């Protein structure tokens, strides 16, 4: 009886600490990204995003927005990965009250150059945290935007960073 109790207790504890299952998503045969179980296509997608997923149970969000370098050149926009990151992160900051950007650093996602940073601020009455990256390929810049409630940072930051680092252009 005691062994059964400890067995059930260990199963219960394991279920709360285990990593969720992950699935790799192919998006329009252009990119792939891995998402933890619970993410579904958003019911209110952003029209500029090629990927907009959410886990409504945990208030987690992912959006990927591509921008063609050819289109940018046609509009005489001259970006590099750093200036592109600055521009799109400023756009997010402008929508937050008391928004702050920190931890900005260059990184590699696979073979692609990227810049990553953390944005925190208030949206409505919620303190939110964004883990954001700008990724550069030969023909595109991609904005990878993840969001969650700031109070859940300890629980979800690493998971969302893993989502970002799984990005692949096909």
């Amino acid at each position: 009886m005691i062994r059964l109790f400890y067995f059930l207790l260990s199963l219960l504890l394991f279920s709360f600490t285990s990593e969720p299952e992950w699935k790799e998503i192919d998006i329009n045969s252009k990119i792939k990204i891995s998402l933890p179980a619970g993410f579904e296509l958003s019911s209110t997608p952003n029209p500029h995003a090629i990927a907009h997923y959410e886990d409504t149970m945990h208030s987690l969000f992912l959006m990927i927005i591509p921008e063609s370098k050819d289109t940018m050149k046609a509009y005489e926009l001259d970006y590099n990965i750093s200036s592109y990151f600055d521009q799109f992160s400023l756009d997010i900051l402008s929508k937050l009250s008391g928004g702050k950007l920190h931890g900005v650093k260059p990184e590699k996602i696979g073979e692609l150059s990227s810049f990553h940073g953390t944005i925190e601020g208030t949206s409505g009455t919620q303190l939110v945290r964004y883990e954001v990256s700008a990724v550069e390929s030969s023909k595109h810049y991609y904005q990878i935007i993840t969001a969650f409630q700031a109070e859940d940072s300890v629980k979800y930051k690493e998971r969302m960073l893993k989502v970002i680092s799984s990005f692949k252009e096909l």
Side-chain angles (χ1 to χ4, degrees):
M1 185 69 157
I2 291 175
R3 285 185 189 176
L4 179 61
F5 171 75
Y6 283 116
F7 175 73
L8 293 174
L9 181 62
S10 65
L11 281 178
L12 182 64
L13 291 174
F14 180 73
S15 69
F16 286 119
T17 60
S18 66
E19 183 71 14
E21 279 189 45
W22 288 73
K23 58 186 173 185
E24 188 172 60
I25 307 292
D26 181 319
I27 300 164
N28 300 333
S29 299
K30 294 181 182 191
I31 64 171
K32 284 187 178 184
I33 197 142
S34 293
L35 296 174
F39 273 83
E40 301 294 333
L41 282 170
S42 174
S43 58
T44 56
N46 179 304
H48 302 290
I50 61 170
H52 194 172
Y53 288 83
E54 59 188 337
D55 176 342
T56 55
M57 178 184 264
H58 299 105
S59 298
L60 305 173
F61 302 90
L62 164 73
M63 185 168 40
I64 301 173
I65 300 173
E67 300 228 36
S68 164
K69 288 182 174 181
D70 290 339
T71 302
M72 290 178 162
K73 285 180 185 172
Y75 285 102
E76 297 180 5
L77 299 172
D78 186 27
Y79 289 112
N80 60 38
I81 189 65
S82 175
S83 60
Y84 183 77
F85 177 84
D86 291 344
Q87 182 61 38
F88 103 80
S89 59
L90 284 173
D91 184 49
I92 294 170
L93 282 165
S94 72
K95 296 175 179 138
L96 298 174
S97 175
K100 293 185 173 125
L101 171 65
H102 54 89
V104 177
K105 60 186 177 195
E107 294 183 336
K108 286 280 192 188
I109 296 179
E111 296 297 316
L112 302 175
S113 296
S114 74
F115 262 76
H116 177 82
T118 301
I119 297 173
E120 289 183 322
T122 303
S123 177
T125 60
Q126 290 288 328
L127 184 59
V128 293
R129 180 177 187 137
Y130 295 85
E131 294 295 335
V132 296
S133 287
V135 180
E136 180 178 21
S137 72
S138 60
K139 295 186 178 189
H140 292 89
Y141 287 107
Y142 295 93
Q143 299 172 25
I144 304 176
I145 304 164
T146 67
F148 49 95
Q149 294 179 5
E151 67 190 34
D152 292 333
S153 189
V154 171
K155 284 197 283 191
Y156 298 122
K157 178 182 177 180
E158 291 305 315
R159 189 177 299 179
M160 300 313 278
L161 292 175
K162 186 175 176 180
V163 168
I164 291 170
S165 68
S166 75
F167 176 87
K168 296 175 196 150
E169 184 180 56
L170 302 177

mmCIF file of all heavy atoms in Angstrom, residues 115-159:
data_model
loop_
_atom_site.group_PDB
_atom_site.id
_atom_site.type_symbol
_atom_site.label_atom_id
_atom_site.label_comp_id
_atom_site.label_asym_id
_atom_site.label_seq_id
_atom_site.Cartn_x
_atom_site.Cartn_y
_atom_site.Cartn_z
ATOM 1 N N PHE A 115 19.016 39.154 -34.131
ATOM 2 C CA PHE A 115 19.141 39.959 -32.914
ATOM 3 C C PHE A 115 17.979 39.556 -32.034
ATOM 4 O O PHE A 115 16.868 39.349 -32.515
ATOM 5 C CB PHE A 115 19.070 41.457 -33.223
ATOM 6 C CG PHE A 115 20.420 42.102 -33.321
ATOM 7 C CD1 PHE A 115 21.204 41.924 -34.441
ATOM 8 C CD2 PHE A 115 20.913 42.871 -32.275
ATOM 9 C CE1 PHE A 115 22.446 42.496 -34.544
ATOM 10 C CE2 PHE A 115 22.157 43.452 -32.360
ATOM 11 C CZ PHE A 115 22.930 43.264 -33.498
ATOM 12 N N HIS A 116 18.236 39.467 -30.751
ATOM 13 C CA HIS A 116 17.203 39.061 -29.797
ATOM 14 C C HIS A 116 17.173 40.049 -28.635
ATOM 15 O O HIS A 116 18.196 40.586 -28.229
ATOM 16 C CB HIS A 116 17.476 37.658 -29.253
ATOM 17 C CG HIS A 116 16.477 37.255 -28.220
ATOM 18 N ND1 HIS A 116 15.246 36.758 -28.559
ATOM 19 C CD2 HIS A 116 16.493 37.352 -26.877
ATOM 20 C CE1 HIS A 116 14.564 36.545 -27.448
ATOM 21 N NE2 HIS A 116 15.288 36.899 -26.413
ATOM 22 N N GLY A 117 15.979 40.265 -28.092
ATOM 23 C CA GLY A 117 15.828 41.103 -26.914
ATOM 24 C C GLY A 117 14.542 40.787 -26.178
ATOM 25 O O GLY A 117 13.697 40.020 -26.658
ATOM 26 N N THR A 118 14.415 41.378 -25.011
ATOM 27 C CA THR A 118 13.236 41.209 -24.163
ATOM 28 C C THR A 118 12.570 42.567 -23.996
ATOM 29 O O THR A 118 13.240 43.563 -23.725
ATOM 30 C CB THR A 118 13.646 40.655 -22.779
ATOM 31 O OG1 THR A 118 14.304 39.404 -22.969
ATOM 32 C CG2 THR A 118 12.446 40.474 -21.877
ATOM 33 N N ILE A 119 11.267 42.589 -24.171
ATOM 34 C CA ILE A 119 10.480 43.812 -23.995
ATOM 35 C C ILE A 119 9.468 43.547 -22.889
ATOM 36 O O ILE A 119 8.793 42.515 -22.897
ATOM 37 C CB ILE A 119 9.751 44.208 -25.294
ATOM 38 C CG1 ILE A 119 10.769 44.528 -26.389
ATOM 39 C CG2 ILE A 119 8.808 45.386 -25.054
ATOM 40 C CD1 ILE A 119 10.153 44.756 -27.760
ATOM 41 N N GLU A 120 9.376 44.481 -21.951
ATOM 42 C CA GLU A 120 8.360 44.393 -20.899
ATOM 43 C C GLU A 120 7.628 45.719 -20.808
ATOM 44 O O GLU A 120 8.218 46.779 -21.015
ATOM 45 C CB GLU A 120 8.998 44.078 -19.548
ATOM 46 C CG GLU A 120 9.523 42.675 -19.452
ATOM 47 C CD GLU A 120 10.090 42.338 -18.089
ATOM 48 O OE1 GLU A 120 10.737 43.204 -17.469
ATOM 49 O OE2 GLU A 120 9.865 41.213 -17.647
ATOM 50 N N GLY A 121 6.354 45.644 -20.525
ATOM 51 C CA GLY A 121 5.549 46.840 -20.362
ATOM 52 C C GLY A 121 4.111 46.461 -20.072
ATOM 53 O O GLY A 121 3.773 45.279 -19.978
ATOM 54 N N THR A 122 3.277 47.469 -19.961
ATOM 55 C CA THR A 122 1.880 47.250 -19.632
ATOM 56 C C THR A 122 1.013 47.442 -20.863
ATOM 57 O O THR A 122 1.121 48.447 -21.562
ATOM 58 C CB THR A 122 1.431 48.216 -18.513
ATOM 59 O OG1 THR A 122 2.288 48.030 -17.387
ATOM 60 C CG2 THR A 122 0.004 47.956 -18.103
ATOM 61 N N SER A 123 0.169 46.445 -21.115
ATOM 62 C CA SER A 123 -0.811 46.508 -22.185
ATOM 63 C C SER A 123 -2.178 46.438 -21.514
ATOM 64 O O SER A 123 -2.528 45.410 -20.934
ATOM 65 C CB SER A 123 -0.620 45.337 -23.149
ATOM 66 O OG SER A 123 -1.612 45.357 -24.144
ATOM 67 N N GLY A 124 -2.922 47.540 -21.587
ATOM 68 C CA GLY A 124 -4.178 47.619 -20.834
ATOM 69 C C GLY A 124 -3.840 47.618 -19.357
ATOM 70 O O GLY A 124 -3.181 48.522 -18.865
ATOM 71 N N THR A 125 -4.246 46.558 -18.656
ATOM 72 C CA THR A 125 -3.922 46.456 -17.229
ATOM 73 C C THR A 125 -2.937 45.324 -16.948
ATOM 74 O O THR A 125 -2.601 45.082 -15.793
ATOM 75 C CB THR A 125 -5.210 46.198 -16.402
ATOM 76 O OG1 THR A 125 -5.803 44.976 -16.845
ATOM 77 C CG2 THR A 125 -6.194 47.344 -16.553
ATOM 78 N N GLN A 126 -2.490 44.630 -17.997
ATOM 79 C CA GLN A 126 -1.600 43.475 -17.829
ATOM 80 C C GLN A 126 -0.137 43.850 -18.065
ATOM 81 O O GLN A 126 0.187 44.503 -19.061
ATOM 82 C CB GLN A 126 -1.961 42.373 -18.828
ATOM 83 C CG GLN A 126 -3.257 41.679 -18.564
ATOM 84 C CD GLN A 126 -3.152 40.772 -17.344
ATOM 85 O OE1 GLN A 126 -2.127 40.205 -17.034
ATOM 86 N NE2 GLN A 126 -4.266 40.660 -16.636
ATOM 87 N N LEU A 127 0.731 43.402 -17.167
ATOM 88 C CA LEU A 127 2.163 43.513 -17.385
ATOM 89 C C LEU A 127 2.558 42.337 -18.271
ATOM 90 O O LEU A 127 2.325 41.179 -17.919
ATOM 91 C CB LEU A 127 2.922 43.471 -16.056
ATOM 92 C CG LEU A 127 4.434 43.684 -16.138
ATOM 93 C CD1 LEU A 127 4.763 45.037 -16.779
ATOM 94 C CD2 LEU A 127 5.053 43.612 -14.750
ATOM 95 N N VAL A 128 3.092 42.633 -19.464
ATOM 96 C CA VAL A 128 3.415 41.597 -20.435
ATOM 97 C C VAL A 128 4.907 41.577 -20.730
ATOM 98 O O VAL A 128 5.615 42.571 -20.541
ATOM 99 C CB VAL A 128 2.631 41.772 -21.753
ATOM 100 C CG1 VAL A 128 1.151 41.543 -21.546
ATOM 101 C CG2 VAL A 128 2.889 43.131 -22.361
ATOM 102 N N ARG A 129 5.346 40.424 -21.187
ATOM 103 C CA ARG A 129 6.754 40.249 -21.559
ATOM 104 C C ARG A 129 6.780 39.664 -22.967
ATOM 105 O O ARG A 129 6.036 38.730 -23.280
ATOM 106 C CB ARG A 129 7.447 39.315 -20.596
ATOM 107 C CG ARG A 129 8.898 39.102 -20.925
ATOM 108 C CD ARG A 129 9.551 38.222 -19.893
ATOM 109 N NE ARG A 129 10.967 38.177 -20.146
ATOM 110 C CZ ARG A 129 11.889 38.253 -19.213
ATOM 111 N NH1 ARG A 129 11.543 38.393 -17.950
ATOM 112 N NH2 ARG A 129 13.151 38.185 -19.526
ATOM 113 N N TYR A 130 7.646 40.226 -23.785
ATOM 114 C CA TYR A 130 7.863 39.737 -25.137
ATOM 115 C C TYR A 130 9.302 39.266 -25.237
ATOM 116 O O TYR A 130 10.221 39.972 -24.807
ATOM 117 C CB TYR A 130 7.673 40.849 -26.172
ATOM 118 C CG TYR A 130 6.287 41.401 -26.283
ATOM 119 C CD1 TYR A 130 5.852 42.419 -25.441
ATOM 120 C CD2 TYR A 130 5.404 40.926 -27.249
ATOM 121 C CE1 TYR A 130 4.575 42.943 -25.545
ATOM 122 C CE2 TYR A 130 4.133 41.452 -27.361
ATOM 123 C CZ TYR A 130 3.729 42.463 -26.511
ATOM 124 O OH TYR A 130 2.464 42.982 -26.622
ATOM 125 N N GLU A 131 9.506 38.099 -25.810
ATOM 126 C CA GLU A 131 10.820 37.660 -26.245
ATOM 127 C C GLU A 131 10.761 37.797 -27.755
ATOM 128 O O GLU A 131 9.915 37.183 -28.407
ATOM 129 C CB GLU A 131 11.112 36.217 -25.823
ATOM 130 C CG GLU A 131 11.216 36.019 -24.328
ATOM 131 C CD GLU A 131 12.398 36.736 -23.687
ATOM 132 O OE1 GLU A 131 13.413 37.005 -24.382
ATOM 133 O OE2 GLU A 131 12.324 37.034 -22.487
ATOM 134 N N VAL A 132 11.618 38.657 -28.319
ATOM 135 C CA VAL A 132 11.519 38.985 -29.739
ATOM 136 C C VAL A 132 12.860 38.788 -30.429
ATOM 137 O O VAL A 132 13.919 39.019 -29.838
ATOM 138 C CB VAL A 132 11.018 40.431 -29.950
ATOM 139 C CG1 VAL A 132 9.611 40.607 -29.422
ATOM 140 C CG2 VAL A 132 11.942 41.447 -29.307
ATOM 141 N N SER A 133 12.797 38.376 -31.681
ATOM 142 C CA SER A 133 13.996 38.229 -32.496
ATOM 143 C C SER A 133 13.718 38.721 -33.906
ATOM 144 O O SER A 133 12.608 38.554 -34.429
ATOM 145 C CB SER A 133 14.445 36.764 -32.575
ATOM 146 O OG SER A 133 14.999 36.345 -31.360
ATOM 147 N N ALA A 134 14.732 39.327 -34.488
ATOM 148 C CA ALA A 134 14.737 39.633 -35.912
ATOM 149 C C ALA A 134 15.732 38.662 -36.531
ATOM 150 O O ALA A 134 16.849 38.515 -36.034
ATOM 151 C CB ALA A 134 15.175 41.072 -36.158
ATOM 152 N N VAL A 135 15.312 37.987 -37.582
ATOM 153 C CA VAL A 135 16.145 36.988 -38.239
ATOM 154 C C VAL A 135 16.337 37.408 -39.692
ATOM 155 O O VAL A 135 15.376 37.808 -40.358
ATOM 156 C CB VAL A 135 15.493 35.589 -38.168
ATOM 157 C CG1 VAL A 135 16.364 34.544 -38.842
ATOM 158 C CG2 VAL A 135 15.203 35.205 -36.723
ATOM 159 N N GLU A 136 17.573 37.296 -40.182
ATOM 160 C CA GLU A 136 17.866 37.685 -41.558
ATOM 161 C C GLU A 136 18.255 36.477 -42.394
ATOM 162 O O GLU A 136 19.140 35.706 -42.023
ATOM 163 C CB GLU A 136 19.025 38.691 -41.583
ATOM 164 C CG GLU A 136 19.389 39.152 -42.968
ATOM 165 C CD GLU A 136 20.511 40.176 -42.984
ATOM 166 O OE1 GLU A 136 21.281 40.258 -42.009
ATOM 167 O OE2 GLU A 136 20.618 40.893 -43.998
ATOM 168 N N SER A 137 17.570 36.325 -43.528
ATOM 169 C CA SER A 137 17.960 35.316 -44.516
ATOM 170 C C SER A 137 18.391 36.072 -45.773
ATOM 171 O O SER A 137 18.420 37.303 -45.780
ATOM 172 C CB SER A 137 16.797 34.367 -44.808
ATOM 173 O OG SER A 137 15.789 35.002 -45.557
ATOM 174 N N SER A 138 18.681 35.360 -46.820
ATOM 175 C CA SER A 138 19.145 36.039 -48.034
ATOM 176 C C SER A 138 18.063 36.909 -48.675
ATOM 177 O O SER A 138 18.373 37.933 -49.274
ATOM 178 C CB SER A 138 19.667 35.022 -49.043
ATOM 179 O OG SER A 138 18.637 34.121 -49.403
ATOM 180 N N LYS A 139 16.785 36.531 -48.528
ATOM 181 C CA LYS A 139 15.709 37.276 -49.186
ATOM 182 C C LYS A 139 14.720 37.937 -48.245
ATOM 183 O O LYS A 139 13.881 38.711 -48.690
ATOM 184 C CB LYS A 139 14.942 36.342 -50.125
ATOM 185 C CG LYS A 139 15.790 35.848 -51.274
ATOM 186 C CD LYS A 139 14.969 35.049 -52.241
ATOM 187 C CE LYS A 139 15.853 34.624 -53.399
ATOM 188 N NZ LYS A 139 15.104 34.037 -54.477
ATOM 189 N N HIS A 140 14.778 37.618 -46.948
ATOM 190 C CA HIS A 140 13.777 38.127 -46.004
ATOM 191 C C HIS A 140 14.393 38.533 -44.676
ATOM 192 O O HIS A 140 15.451 38.045 -44.288
ATOM 193 C CB HIS A 140 12.717 37.050 -45.705
ATOM 194 C CG HIS A 140 11.846 36.730 -46.844
ATOM 195 N ND1 HIS A 140 12.148 35.759 -47.766
ATOM 196 C CD2 HIS A 140 10.648 37.240 -47.229
ATOM 197 C CE1 HIS A 140 11.200 35.687 -48.671
ATOM 198 N NE2 HIS A 140 10.271 36.570 -48.373
ATOM 199 N N TYR A 141 13.650 39.398 -43.999
ATOM 200 C CA TYR A 141 13.790 39.586 -42.564
ATOM 201 C C TYR A 141 12.527 38.986 -41.954
ATOM 202 O O TYR A 141 11.441 39.090 -42.536
ATOM 203 C CB TYR A 141 13.861 41.066 -42.176
ATOM 204 C CG TYR A 141 15.164 41.734 -42.527
ATOM 205 C CD1 TYR A 141 15.236 42.640 -43.585
ATOM 206 C CD2 TYR A 141 16.317 41.479 -41.793
ATOM 207 C CE1 TYR A 141 16.419 43.274 -43.899
ATOM 208 C CE2 TYR A 141 17.505 42.104 -42.100
ATOM 209 C CZ TYR A 141 17.553 42.995 -43.158
ATOM 210 O OH TYR A 141 18.735 43.613 -43.454
ATOM 211 N N TYR A 142 12.679 38.360 -40.800
ATOM 212 C CA TYR A 142 11.535 37.800 -40.089
ATOM 213 C C TYR A 142 11.474 38.405 -38.690
ATOM 214 O O TYR A 142 12.501 38.497 -38.015
ATOM 215 C CB TYR A 142 11.660 36.277 -39.941
ATOM 216 C CG TYR A 142 11.612 35.524 -41.242
ATOM 217 C CD1 TYR A 142 12.782 35.213 -41.921
ATOM 218 C CD2 TYR A 142 10.396 35.116 -41.778
ATOM 219 C CE1 TYR A 142 12.743 34.509 -43.116
ATOM 220 C CE2 TYR A 142 10.353 34.405 -42.968
ATOM 221 C CZ TYR A 142 11.535 34.108 -43.639
ATOM 222 O OH TYR A 142 11.487 33.408 -44.815
ATOM 223 N N GLN A 143 10.290 38.795 -38.285
ATOM 224 C CA GLN A 143 10.050 39.187 -36.897
ATOM 225 C C GLN A 143 9.446 37.965 -36.208
ATOM 226 O O GLN A 143 8.406 37.464 -36.638
ATOM 227 C CB GLN A 143 9.034 40.322 -36.814
ATOM 228 C CG GLN A 143 9.439 41.586 -37.506
ATOM 229 C CD GLN A 143 8.307 42.588 -37.539
ATOM 230 O OE1 GLN A 143 7.403 42.572 -36.713
ATOM 231 N NE2 GLN A 143 8.351 43.485 -38.524
ATOM 232 N N ILE A 144 10.107 37.492 -35.160
ATOM 233 C CA ILE A 144 9.560 36.400 -34.358
ATOM 234 C C ILE A 144 9.203 37.013 -33.011
ATOM 235 O O ILE A 144 10.084 37.491 -32.289
ATOM 236 C CB ILE A 144 10.556 35.241 -34.190
ATOM 237 C CG1 ILE A 144 11.021 34.729 -35.557
ATOM 238 C CG2 ILE A 144 9.901 34.112 -33.381
ATOM 239 C CD1 ILE A 144 12.079 33.653 -35.484
ATOM 240 N N ILE A 145 7.924 37.013 -32.712
ATOM 241 C CA ILE A 145 7.421 37.689 -31.523
ATOM 242 C C ILE A 145 6.691 36.671 -30.655
ATOM 243 O O ILE A 145 5.734 36.041 -31.105
ATOM 244 C CB ILE A 145 6.447 38.827 -31.917
ATOM 245 C CG1 ILE A 145 7.138 39.801 -32.873
ATOM 246 C CG2 ILE A 145 5.903 39.531 -30.673
ATOM 247 C CD1 ILE A 145 6.188 40.729 -33.606
ATOM 248 N N THR A 146 7.167 36.501 -29.431
ATOM 249 C CA THR A 146 6.455 35.670 -28.461
ATOM 250 C C THR A 146 6.019 36.571 -27.324
ATOM 251 O O THR A 146 6.681 37.554 -27.012
ATOM 252 C CB THR A 146 7.333 34.522 -27.910
ATOM 253 O OG1 THR A 146 8.392 35.071 -27.129
ATOM 254 C CG2 THR A 146 7.893 33.672 -29.037
ATOM 255 N N ALA A 147 4.901 36.244 -26.704
ATOM 256 C CA ALA A 147 4.387 37.075 -25.618
ATOM 257 C C ALA A 147 3.735 36.204 -24.554
ATOM 258 O O ALA A 147 3.179 35.150 -24.860
ATOM 259 C CB ALA A 147 3.363 38.079 -26.155
ATOM 260 N N PHE A 148 3.832 36.681 -23.317
ATOM 261 C CA PHE A 148 3.196 36.017 -22.182
ATOM 262 C C PHE A 148 3.115 37.009 -21.037
ATOM 263 O O PHE A 148 3.738 38.085 -21.084
ATOM 264 C CB PHE A 148 3.948 34.740 -21.765
ATOM 265 C CG PHE A 148 5.436 34.905 -21.608
ATOM 266 C CD1 PHE A 148 5.999 35.157 -20.378
ATOM 267 C CD2 PHE A 148 6.275 34.783 -22.705
ATOM 268 C CE1 PHE A 148 7.368 35.305 -20.234
ATOM 269 C CE2 PHE A 148 7.644 34.925 -22.569
ATOM 270 C CZ PHE A 148 8.191 35.178 -21.327
ATOM 271 N N GLN A 149 2.340 36.683 -20.022
ATOM 272 C CA GLN A 149 2.219 37.572 -18.872
ATOM 273 C C GLN A 149 3.550 37.599 -18.127
ATOM 274 O O GLN A 149 4.162 36.556 -17.896
ATOM 275 C CB GLN A 149 1.096 37.107 -17.954
ATOM 276 C CG GLN A 149 -0.263 37.228 -18.601
ATOM 277 C CD GLN A 149 -1.384 36.742 -17.698
ATOM 278 O OE1 GLN A 149 -1.176 36.391 -16.550
ATOM 279 N NE2 GLN A 149 -2.583 36.729 -18.234
ATOM 280 N N ALA A 150 4.000 38.785 -17.762
ATOM 281 C CA ALA A 150 5.301 38.944 -17.116
ATOM 282 C C ALA A 150 5.403 38.135 -15.825
ATOM 283 O O ALA A 150 6.466 37.605 -15.506
ATOM 284 C CB ALA A 150 5.581 40.426 -16.850
ATOM 285 N N GLU A 151 4.306 37.986 -15.111
ATOM 286 C CA GLU A 151 4.338 37.217 -13.857
ATOM 287 C C GLU A 151 4.652 35.737 -14.092
ATOM 288 O O GLU A 151 5.065 35.033 -13.182
ATOM 289 C CB GLU A 151 3.013 37.349 -13.106
ATOM 290 C CG GLU A 151 1.845 36.707 -13.823
ATOM 291 C CD GLU A 151 0.499 37.033 -13.199
ATOM 292 O OE1 GLU A 151 0.320 38.151 -12.685
ATOM 293 O OE2 GLU A 151 -0.370 36.164 -13.248
ATOM 294 N N ASP A 152 4.483 35.268 -15.337
ATOM 295 C CA ASP A 152 4.771 33.881 -15.680
ATOM 296 C C ASP A 152 6.154 33.701 -16.310
ATOM 297 O O ASP A 152 6.453 32.654 -16.876
ATOM 298 C CB ASP A 152 3.712 33.351 -16.652
ATOM 299 C CG ASP A 152 2.353 33.231 -16.010
ATOM 300 O OD1 ASP A 152 2.290 33.056 -14.777
ATOM 301 O OD2 ASP A 152 1.343 33.330 -16.738
ATOM 302 N N SER A 153 6.985 34.717 -16.204
ATOM 303 C CA SER A 153 8.294 34.704 -16.839
ATOM 304 C C SER A 153 9.141 33.496 -16.448
ATOM 305 O O SER A 153 9.751 32.849 -17.293
ATOM 306 C CB SER A 153 9.037 35.996 -16.499
ATOM 307 O OG SER A 153 10.197 36.090 -17.245
ATOM 308 N N VAL A 154 9.169 33.169 -15.180
ATOM 309 C CA VAL A 154 9.972 32.039 -14.714
ATOM 310 C C VAL A 154 9.490 30.742 -15.357
ATOM 311 O O VAL A 154 10.284 29.890 -15.753
ATOM 312 C CB VAL A 154 9.936 31.938 -13.170
ATOM 313 C CG1 VAL A 154 10.578 30.656 -12.679
ATOM 314 C CG2 VAL A 154 10.603 33.153 -12.552
ATOM 315 N N LYS A 155 8.176 30.596 -15.506
ATOM 316 C CA LYS A 155 7.608 29.370 -16.063
ATOM 317 C C LYS A 155 7.809 29.244 -17.567
ATOM 318 O O LYS A 155 8.023 28.145 -18.070
ATOM 319 C CB LYS A 155 6.095 29.298 -15.789
ATOM 320 C CG LYS A 155 5.730 28.930 -14.385
ATOM 321 C CD LYS A 155 4.278 28.483 -14.290
ATOM 322 C CE LYS A 155 3.335 29.644 -14.333
ATOM 323 N NZ LYS A 155 1.956 29.310 -13.995
ATOM 324 N N TYR A 156 7.744 30.368 -18.306
ATOM 325 C CA TYR A 156 7.637 30.257 -19.758
ATOM 326 C C TYR A 156 8.770 30.863 -20.572
ATOM 327 O O TYR A 156 8.841 30.624 -21.780
ATOM 328 C CB TYR A 156 6.306 30.850 -20.227
ATOM 329 C CG TYR A 156 5.131 30.114 -19.659
ATOM 330 C CD1 TYR A 156 4.175 30.772 -18.900
ATOM 331 C CD2 TYR A 156 4.981 28.740 -19.856
ATOM 332 C CE1 TYR A 156 3.094 30.083 -18.370
ATOM 333 C CE2 TYR A 156 3.907 28.050 -19.322
ATOM 334 C CZ TYR A 156 2.971 28.732 -18.582
ATOM 335 O OH TYR A 156 1.902 28.045 -18.053
ATOM 336 N N LYS A 157 9.665 31.617 -19.979
ATOM 337 C CA LYS A 157 10.726 32.263 -20.766
ATOM 338 C C LYS A 157 11.541 31.244 -21.550
ATOM 339 O O LYS A 157 11.712 31.381 -22.766
ATOM 340 C CB LYS A 157 11.640 33.089 -19.862
ATOM 341 C CG LYS A 157 12.772 33.721 -20.648
ATOM 342 C CD LYS A 157 13.724 34.501 -19.790
ATOM 343 C CE LYS A 157 14.843 35.019 -20.669
ATOM 344 N NZ LYS A 157 15.813 35.783 -19.940
ATOM 345 N N GLU A 158 12.060 30.222 -20.902
ATOM 346 C CA GLU A 158 12.902 29.240 -21.585
ATOM 347 C C GLU A 158 12.133 28.510 -22.682
ATOM 348 O O GLU A 158 12.677 28.221 -23.744
ATOM 349 C CB GLU A 158 13.519 28.250 -20.595
ATOM 350 C CG GLU A 158 14.564 28.876 -19.690
ATOM 351 C CD GLU A 158 15.694 29.584 -20.450
ATOM 352 O OE1 GLU A 158 16.212 29.010 -21.438
ATOM 353 O OE2 GLU A 158 16.050 30.713 -20.065
ATOM 354 N N ARG A 159 10.881 28.217 -22.433
ATOM 355 C CA ARG A 159 10.054 27.544 -23.435
ATOM 356 C C ARG A 159 9.909 28.417 -24.680
ATOM 357 O O ARG A 159 10.012 27.934 -25.805
ATOM 358 C CB ARG A 159 8.685 27.231 -22.840
ATOM 359 C CG ARG A 159 7.832 26.346 -23.703
ATOM 360 C CD ARG A 159 6.516 26.006 -23.054
ATOM 361 N NE ARG A 159 6.709 25.277 -21.802
ATOM 362 C CZ ARG A 159 5.722 24.877 -21.022
ATOM 363 N NH1 ARG A 159 4.473 25.132 -21.362
ATOM 364 N NH2 ARG A 159 5.961 24.230 -19.914
#
